[in-house]
Amino acid sequence: MLTARPTEAAEATTSAAPLKVALMSCAHTHAGSYASELESRADVELVVADPDGYGDVRGVRVVPSFADAWDAWPDGPDAIVVTSANAHHKDLVLEAARRGVHVLCEKPLATNVADAEAMVAACEEAAVVLMTAFPVHFSPAVETLRTALADGALGEVIGLTGTNNGKLPTARDWFTDVELAGGGAMVDHTVHLAEILDSVLGPPATVHATTNRILHAERAGEGAETGGLVTLTYDSGVVATIDCSWSLPEDAPTWGGLRLQALGTGGQLQIDAFAQHVGGPGRWLPYGSDLDALLLDAFLGAVREGRAVDPTGEVGLRTVRVVAAAQESVRTGQPVALAGA
């Protein structure tokens, strides 16, 4: 796991030419954080494309179109960070592969398996880095869990229970537009835990899911689920669950959180990826590891070395397969064997 502070990594590369990075779209709520982190680095030249005119990513060089971002440098960018609506990921990633540009793509990698497969294949053929933006992968708490399971500290693992709840997104309406997002809460909040589970257990054998629109239905787009539970069963017999609901109230002090409990024959371990905070009613003051910064540090290092590190595009593809199987399970009411596992 990366432990170096991003500023230390930046100092270590000041002798190299700055990497030219274009952040493609301000549609995702992570765009502002990524832009701030990239702008603060001495080893990066940043341009931000805001074709939708959100206008809330400031203090950086902002251009009004993707074309302007591609052409911001005479020889184009070295890398792009894709933070568009989910349905637009594919076109941006395929264009980057065509140009020989490295990519960090926001999760979920795509809205369907075919698009995700095409993106991974295109980047592999072009020999460019493709990483999927899973900041929680770099959480010290998640690393503690991975180490405990790898070392057998919990004995034989029997089951895992994960919760990735949050508020229904309001700043960006596309999150609840099925055409743009690919679905609702299950699409938005399954993949983070699916990635963590993938890193310790590999792909599941079957996926069983159920969803509803009990909470916040009046504010969700037509057909977008607001609550869900995804159950993953592995060939070993281990069962893992993911609560992926938009279940937090509007006045919650932060967007949500991620917890995972592992139960084994020798003990149990529960982690909270965002436990490092001081809070109370209406207050949430985080401290400790900056997961967005660690993600970007890993990506920029991968670009300089010319090789992807986890979480790769292939990891992103596997989590899209989990979501697709969950959606099929909701349609049929039956467990679904995971395609490509």
Side-chain angles (χ1 to χ4, degrees):
M1 176 180 174
L2 282 165
T3 56
R5 290 167 55 87
T7 52
E8 293 171 351
E11 290 170 2
T13 56
T14 52
S15 60
L19 288 173
K20 304 182 293 293
V21 179
L23 189 144
M24 295 299 205
S25 176
C26 299
H28 200 284
T29 50
H30 287 169
S33 172
Y34 295 164
S36 177
E37 294 290 346
L38 291 167
E39 180 73 1
S40 70
R41 296 182 62 116
D43 61 339
V44 169
E45 290 181 5
L46 177 65
V47 166
V48 174
D50 187 13
D52 299 301
Y54 286 105
D56 53 4
V57 176
R58 300 184 177 89
V60 298
R61 181 183 173 191
V62 179
V63 295
S65 71
F66 293 139
D68 288 325
W70 288 120
D71 297 336
W73 299 272
D75 52 351
D78 298 308
I80 66 169
V81 179
V82 176
T83 42
S84 65
N86 299 340
H88 300 155
H89 289 180
K90 178 186 176 183
D91 289 344
L92 288 165
V93 172
L94 293 186
E95 179 63 15
R98 187 185 71 80
R99 293 171 179 257
V101 173
H102 303 290
V103 184
L104 173 64
C105 184
E106 187 54 66
K107 63 80 190 170
L109 190 62
T111 57
N112 60 70
V113 173
D115 283 359
E117 289 176 337
M119 294 156 67
V120 170
C123 290
E124 182 177 350
E125 183 176 353
V128 298
V129 167
L130 174 61
M131 285 181 61
T132 312
F134 287 118
V136 182
H137 176 89
F138 299 95
S139 165
V142 172
E143 181 60 20
T144 296
L145 177 67
R146 279 195 290 258
T147 300
L149 295 182
D151 292 347
L154 304 183
E156 181 184 352
V157 176
I158 298 169
L160 300 100
T161 303
T163 304
N164 188 191
N165 294 154
K167 296 180 182 181
L168 184 147
T170 55
R172 301 293 194 265
D173 289 342
W174 68 264
F175 274 99
T176 65
D177 183 323
V178 172
E179 290 299 316
L180 292 174
M186 191 167 68
V187 172
D188 190 27
H189 277 180
T190 294
V191 289
H192 280 299
L193 281 163
E195 187 274 328
I196 296 169
L197 293 169
D198 181 88
S199 72
V200 295
L201 298 174
T206 63
V207 179
H208 196 184
T210 183
T211 61
N212 62 52
R213 284 172 57 90
I214 296 172
L215 299 171
H216 312 303
E218 73 284 355
R219 295 192 293 118
E222 183 177 356
E225 68 279 358
T226 62
L229 183 68
V230 179
T231 301
L232 311 178
T233 302
Y234 295 81
D235 286 329
S236 64
V238 171
V239 175
T241 61
I242 299 173
D243 181 342
C244 50
S245 306
W246 288 327
S247 54
L248 265 65
E250 292 182 62
D251 59 357
T254 189
W255 64 271
L258 184 146
R259 294 179 176 86
L260 184 60
Q261 181 182 41
L263 176 65
T265 56
Q268 61 178 320
L269 175 64
Q270 180 168 315
I271 64 165
D272 181 348
F274 299 98
Q276 294 179 314
H277 75 275
V278 177
R283 300 286 289 173
W284 185 278
L285 303 173
Y287 63 88
S289 302
D290 185 331
L291 305 187
D292 287 350
L294 291 172
L295 167 71
L296 291 167
D297 198 42
F299 173 61
L300 296 172
V303 169
R304 289 199 181 279
E305 295 178 11
R307 60 179 183 86
V309 298
D310 284 335
T312 62
E314 185 66 37
V315 170
L317 167 59
R318 292 199 295 271
T319 63
V320 170
R321 286 181 177 141
V322 170
V323 172
Q327 291 174 320
E328 179 64 17
S329 177
V330 170
R331 284 190 287 269
T332 64
Q334 299 296 318
V336 173
L338 190 69

PDB file of all heavy atoms in Angstrom, residues 148-159 238 262-269:
ATOM      1  N   ALA A 148      -5.170  -8.879   7.572  1.00  0.00           N
ATOM      2  CA  ALA A 148      -5.710  -9.850   8.524  1.00  0.00           C
ATOM      3  C   ALA A 148      -6.224 -11.095   7.815  1.00  0.00           C
ATOM      4  O   ALA A 148      -5.996 -12.228   8.266  1.00  0.00           O
ATOM      5  CB  ALA A 148      -6.823  -9.204   9.343  1.00  0.00           C
ATOM      6  N   LEU A 149      -6.901 -10.904   6.688  1.00  0.00           N
ATOM      7  CA  LEU A 149      -7.425 -12.058   5.954  1.00  0.00           C
ATOM      8  C   LEU A 149      -6.302 -12.853   5.297  1.00  0.00           C
ATOM      9  O   LEU A 149      -6.315 -14.085   5.295  1.00  0.00           O
ATOM     10  CB  LEU A 149      -8.440 -11.589   4.913  1.00  0.00           C
ATOM     11  CG  LEU A 149      -9.718 -10.938   5.460  1.00  0.00           C
ATOM     12  CD1 LEU A 149     -10.658 -10.555   4.313  1.00  0.00           C
ATOM     13  CD2 LEU A 149     -10.419 -11.858   6.447  1.00  0.00           C
ATOM     14  N   ALA A 150      -5.305 -12.148   4.757  1.00  0.00           N
ATOM     15  CA  ALA A 150      -4.191 -12.838   4.106  1.00  0.00           C
ATOM     16  C   ALA A 150      -3.368 -13.635   5.112  1.00  0.00           C
ATOM     17  O   ALA A 150      -2.862 -14.722   4.796  1.00  0.00           O
ATOM     18  CB  ALA A 150      -3.305 -11.828   3.385  1.00  0.00           C
ATOM     19  N   ASP A 151      -3.234 -13.124   6.340  1.00  0.00           N
ATOM     20  CA  ASP A 151      -2.437 -13.789   7.367  1.00  0.00           C
ATOM     21  C   ASP A 151      -3.212 -14.869   8.116  1.00  0.00           C
ATOM     22  O   ASP A 151      -2.646 -15.559   8.972  1.00  0.00           O
ATOM     23  CB  ASP A 151      -1.922 -12.757   8.383  1.00  0.00           C
ATOM     24  CG  ASP A 151      -0.898 -11.809   7.779  1.00  0.00           C
ATOM     25  OD1 ASP A 151      -0.413 -12.102   6.674  1.00  0.00           O
ATOM     26  OD2 ASP A 151      -0.600 -10.782   8.409  1.00  0.00           O
ATOM     27  N   GLY A 152      -4.499 -14.982   7.839  1.00  0.00           N
ATOM     28  CA  GLY A 152      -5.310 -15.968   8.540  1.00  0.00           C
ATOM     29  C   GLY A 152      -5.604 -15.601   9.977  1.00  0.00           C
ATOM     30  O   GLY A 152      -5.926 -16.483  10.802  1.00  0.00           O
ATOM     31  N   ALA A 153      -5.534 -14.316  10.303  1.00  0.00           N
ATOM     32  CA  ALA A 153      -5.723 -13.874  11.689  1.00  0.00           C
ATOM     33  C   ALA A 153      -7.136 -14.137  12.202  1.00  0.00           C
ATOM     34  O   ALA A 153      -7.336 -14.231  13.413  1.00  0.00           O
ATOM     35  CB  ALA A 153      -5.402 -12.379  11.806  1.00  0.00           C
ATOM     36  N   LEU A 154      -8.100 -14.250  11.296  1.00  0.00           N
ATOM     37  CA  LEU A 154      -9.486 -14.486  11.703  1.00  0.00           C
ATOM     38  C   LEU A 154      -9.886 -15.943  11.572  1.00  0.00           C
ATOM     39  O   LEU A 154     -11.056 -16.287  11.743  1.00  0.00           O
ATOM     40  CB  LEU A 154     -10.438 -13.616  10.866  1.00  0.00           C
ATOM     41  CG  LEU A 154     -10.184 -12.105  10.878  1.00  0.00           C
ATOM     42  CD1 LEU A 154     -11.243 -11.377  10.060  1.00  0.00           C
ATOM     43  CD2 LEU A 154     -10.143 -11.581  12.308  1.00  0.00           C
ATOM     44  N   GLY A 155      -8.926 -16.794  11.255  1.00  0.00           N
ATOM     45  CA  GLY A 155      -9.246 -18.199  11.019  1.00  0.00           C
ATOM     46  C   GLY A 155      -9.909 -18.370   9.668  1.00  0.00           C
ATOM     47  O   GLY A 155      -9.637 -17.615   8.722  1.00  0.00           O
ATOM     48  N   GLU A 156     -10.785 -19.351   9.559  1.00  0.00           N
ATOM     49  CA  GLU A 156     -11.514 -19.551   8.308  1.00  0.00           C
ATOM     50  C   GLU A 156     -12.624 -18.517   8.199  1.00  0.00           C
ATOM     51  O   GLU A 156     -13.486 -18.423   9.083  1.00  0.00           O
ATOM     52  CB  GLU A 156     -12.108 -20.954   8.272  1.00  0.00           C
ATOM     53  CG  GLU A 156     -12.873 -21.252   6.982  1.00  0.00           C
ATOM     54  CD  GLU A 156     -13.541 -22.612   7.001  1.00  0.00           C
ATOM     55  OE1 GLU A 156     -13.289 -23.387   7.952  1.00  0.00           O
ATOM     56  OE2 GLU A 156     -14.324 -22.894   6.068  1.00  0.00           O
ATOM     57  N   VAL A 157     -12.603 -17.739   7.135  1.00  0.00           N
ATOM     58  CA  VAL A 157     -13.602 -16.688   6.957  1.00  0.00           C
ATOM     59  C   VAL A 157     -14.939 -17.315   6.600  1.00  0.00           C
ATOM     60  O   VAL A 157     -15.029 -18.175   5.708  1.00  0.00           O
ATOM     61  CB  VAL A 157     -13.178 -15.683   5.861  1.00  0.00           C
ATOM     62  CG1 VAL A 157     -14.271 -14.645   5.626  1.00  0.00           C
ATOM     63  CG2 VAL A 157     -11.886 -14.994   6.270  1.00  0.00           C
ATOM     64  N   ILE A 158     -15.981 -16.880   7.307  1.00  0.00           N
ATOM     65  CA  ILE A 158     -17.326 -17.416   7.081  1.00  0.00           C
ATOM     66  C   ILE A 158     -18.182 -16.441   6.289  1.00  0.00           C
ATOM     67  O   ILE A 158     -18.918 -16.824   5.376  1.00  0.00           O
ATOM     68  CB  ILE A 158     -17.998 -17.725   8.433  1.00  0.00           C
ATOM     69  CG1 ILE A 158     -17.200 -18.788   9.189  1.00  0.00           C
ATOM     70  CG2 ILE A 158     -19.443 -18.177   8.230  1.00  0.00           C
ATOM     71  CD1 ILE A 158     -17.639 -18.968  10.618  1.00  0.00           C
ATOM     72  N   GLY A 159     -18.087 -15.168   6.621  1.00  0.00           N
ATOM     73  CA  GLY A 159     -18.908 -14.192   5.922  1.00  0.00           C
ATOM     74  C   GLY A 159     -18.423 -12.778   6.151  1.00  0.00           C
ATOM     75  O   GLY A 159     -17.636 -12.502   7.064  1.00  0.00           O
ATOM     76  N   VAL A 238     -18.177 -18.873   1.291  1.00  0.00           N
ATOM     77  CA  VAL A 238     -18.243 -17.574   1.952  1.00  0.00           C
ATOM     78  C   VAL A 238     -19.374 -16.751   1.334  1.00  0.00           C
ATOM     79  O   VAL A 238     -19.561 -16.739   0.112  1.00  0.00           O
ATOM     80  CB  VAL A 238     -16.906 -16.816   1.814  1.00  0.00           C
ATOM     81  CG1 VAL A 238     -17.041 -15.377   2.308  1.00  0.00           C
ATOM     82  CG2 VAL A 238     -15.813 -17.530   2.584  1.00  0.00           C
ATOM     83  N   ALA A 262     -15.769  -8.549   8.871  1.00  0.00           N
ATOM     84  CA  ALA A 262     -15.413  -9.912   8.474  1.00  0.00           C
ATOM     85  C   ALA A 262     -15.525 -10.819   9.688  1.00  0.00           C
ATOM     86  O   ALA A 262     -15.009 -10.491  10.770  1.00  0.00           O
ATOM     87  CB  ALA A 262     -13.994  -9.959   7.916  1.00  0.00           C
ATOM     88  N   LEU A 263     -16.187 -11.964   9.515  1.00  0.00           N
ATOM     89  CA  LEU A 263     -16.392 -12.923  10.591  1.00  0.00           C
ATOM     90  C   LEU A 263     -15.705 -14.230  10.219  1.00  0.00           C
ATOM     91  O   LEU A 263     -15.927 -14.778   9.133  1.00  0.00           O
ATOM     92  CB  LEU A 263     -17.892 -13.160  10.800  1.00  0.00           C
ATOM     93  CG  LEU A 263     -18.283 -14.209  11.844  1.00  0.00           C
ATOM     94  CD1 LEU A 263     -17.848 -13.765  13.239  1.00  0.00           C
ATOM     95  CD2 LEU A 263     -19.782 -14.458  11.793  1.00  0.00           C
ATOM     96  N   GLY A 264     -14.851 -14.707  11.119  1.00  0.00           N
ATOM     97  CA  GLY A 264     -14.156 -15.965  10.887  1.00  0.00           C
ATOM     98  C   GLY A 264     -14.253 -16.882  12.083  1.00  0.00           C
ATOM     99  O   GLY A 264     -14.763 -16.499  13.142  1.00  0.00           O
ATOM    100  N   THR A 265     -13.749 -18.097  11.947  1.00  0.00           N
ATOM    101  CA  THR A 265     -13.790 -19.063  13.042  1.00  0.00           C
ATOM    102  C   THR A 265     -12.881 -18.664  14.192  1.00  0.00           C
ATOM    103  O   THR A 265     -13.036 -19.156  15.314  1.00  0.00           O
ATOM    104  CB  THR A 265     -13.379 -20.453  12.539  1.00  0.00           C
ATOM    105  OG1 THR A 265     -12.074 -20.360  11.917  1.00  0.00           O
ATOM    106  CG2 THR A 265     -14.382 -20.997  11.523  1.00  0.00           C
ATOM    107  N   GLY A 266     -11.920 -17.746  13.922  1.00  0.00           N
ATOM    108  CA  GLY A 266     -10.986 -17.323  14.968  1.00  0.00           C
ATOM    109  C   GLY A 266     -11.192 -15.904  15.445  1.00  0.00           C
ATOM    110  O   GLY A 266     -10.378 -15.387  16.228  1.00  0.00           O
ATOM    111  N   GLY A 267     -12.240 -15.261  15.002  1.00  0.00           N
ATOM    112  CA  GLY A 267     -12.474 -13.894  15.447  1.00  0.00           C
ATOM    113  C   GLY A 267     -13.179 -13.078  14.380  1.00  0.00           C
ATOM    114  O   GLY A 267     -13.563 -13.587  13.326  1.00  0.00           O
ATOM    115  N   GLN A 268     -13.361 -11.803  14.675  1.00  0.00           N
ATOM    116  CA  GLN A 268     -13.986 -10.911  13.719  1.00  0.00           C
ATOM    117  C   GLN A 268     -13.276  -9.570  13.720  1.00  0.00           C
ATOM    118  O   GLN A 268     -12.596  -9.201  14.683  1.00  0.00           O
ATOM    119  CB  GLN A 268     -15.466 -10.732  14.026  1.00  0.00           C
ATOM    120  CG  GLN A 268     -15.770 -10.130  15.388  1.00  0.00           C
ATOM    121  CD  GLN A 268     -17.257  -9.944  15.608  1.00  0.00           C
ATOM    122  OE1 GLN A 268     -17.983  -9.561  14.704  1.00  0.00           O
ATOM    123  NE2 GLN A 268     -17.710 -10.207  16.822  1.00  0.00           N
ATOM    124  N   LEU A 269     -13.427  -8.858  12.626  1.00  0.00           N
ATOM    125  CA  LEU A 269     -12.802  -7.545  12.473  1.00  0.00           C
ATOM    126  C   LEU A 269     -13.763  -6.642  11.742  1.00  0.00           C
ATOM    127  O   LEU A 269     -14.301  -7.016  10.697  1.00  0.00           O
ATOM    128  CB  LEU A 269     -11.486  -7.668  11.676  1.00  0.00           C
ATOM    129  CG  LEU A 269     -10.770  -6.363  11.335  1.00  0.00           C
ATOM    130  CD1 LEU A 269     -10.311  -5.647  12.600  1.00  0.00           C
ATOM    131  CD2 LEU A 269      -9.580  -6.632  10.411  1.00  0.00           C
TER     132      LEU A 269
END
